[in-house]
Amino acid sequence: MSDDLLDVEDADDDAMPPRSKREEEEMDITPMIDITFLLLIFFVVASKMDPTQTGNIPDADNGLAISAKDSAVIFIEPGGGDSPAILKRRDQSEFSKDEEAQANEIIEYVTNELEKSISKNKDQVMLLGDGDVKVSEVTRVQKILGDEFTDMEFTYIAVKEQ
């Protein structure tokens, strides 16, 4: 009878192969991947992508020597507080405070400056700004210029040292 019992135990061992260590060590990472994608979606939806975000213009280490005589020059001064920057022409006359009218005046001014000096090859714009001017103001002026003067290769920015 004991032989019969041994035979039954041997039959059970043959029917079920022993578990390997590999199966015990593997882990299902599907929930971890799900959480990762949920966090990614949350941060993409919750983040604010604002290219006009305000910040200060960084200090320049070095730059090219560009003559203001060979450029259409626009001066940018901080407006103080939350008010927009003050834009001035070469003769120190101010552009309009209204952004739409200001954009038209900038285009007209730069066009006139470039037409005056066709023989001198004046084909660049120089933005001269105070160190306290916000990046968003400089970017706004650059966008106005870039949208209107697509053939212009460079817009130079000069920041007054503090």
Side-chain angles (χ1 to χ4, degrees), residues 31-162:
M32 196 178 332
I33 293 171
D34 290 344
I35 300 250
T36 303
F37 280 113
L38 285 172
L39 285 171
L40 178 66
I41 291 168
F42 170 77
F43 286 118
V44 166
V45 171
S47 64
K48 184 170 112 178
M49 306 268 185
D50 187 8
T52 62
Q53 193 172 20
T54 60
N56 292 328
I57 297 174
D59 295 334
D61 294 331
N62 56 24
L64 301 172
I66 304 298
S67 173
K69 294 177 186 175
D70 297 334
S71 304
V73 179
I74 299 174
F75 294 95
I76 305 175
E77 296 176 359
D82 291 336
S83 60
I86 300 166
L87 301 178
K88 295 182 178 180
R89 296 173 182 84
R90 185 187 300 265
D91 62 0
Q92 295 299 312
S93 62
E94 289 186 17
F95 288 100
S96 174
K97 300 280 188 207
D98 180 44
E99 287 187 15
E100 212 170 293
Q102 192 178 66
N104 293 331
E105 288 178 13
I106 289 171
I107 293 167
E108 182 182 334
Y109 169 71
V110 171
T111 303
N112 289 339
E113 286 289 311
L114 296 179
E115 286 176 356
K116 278 190 218 175
S117 60
I118 291 176
S119 61
K120 294 181 187 176
N121 294 330
K122 187 188 285 188
D123 62 349
Q124 58 201 23
V125 176
M126 182 182 291
L127 303 176
L128 296 174
D130 190 72
D132 295 330
V133 173
K134 300 293 182 194
V135 173
S136 60
E137 291 295 331
V138 176
T139 305
R140 185 177 63 83
V141 175
Q142 280 184 309
K143 183 170 178 1
I144 292 168
L145 295 171
D147 290 346
E148 183 64 27
F149 303 100
T150 55
D151 57 335
M152 188 179 302
E153 293 183 33
F154 300 104
T155 302
Y156 296 98
I157 302 171
V159 180
K160 183 176 164 184
E161 292 185 17
Q162 297 173 345

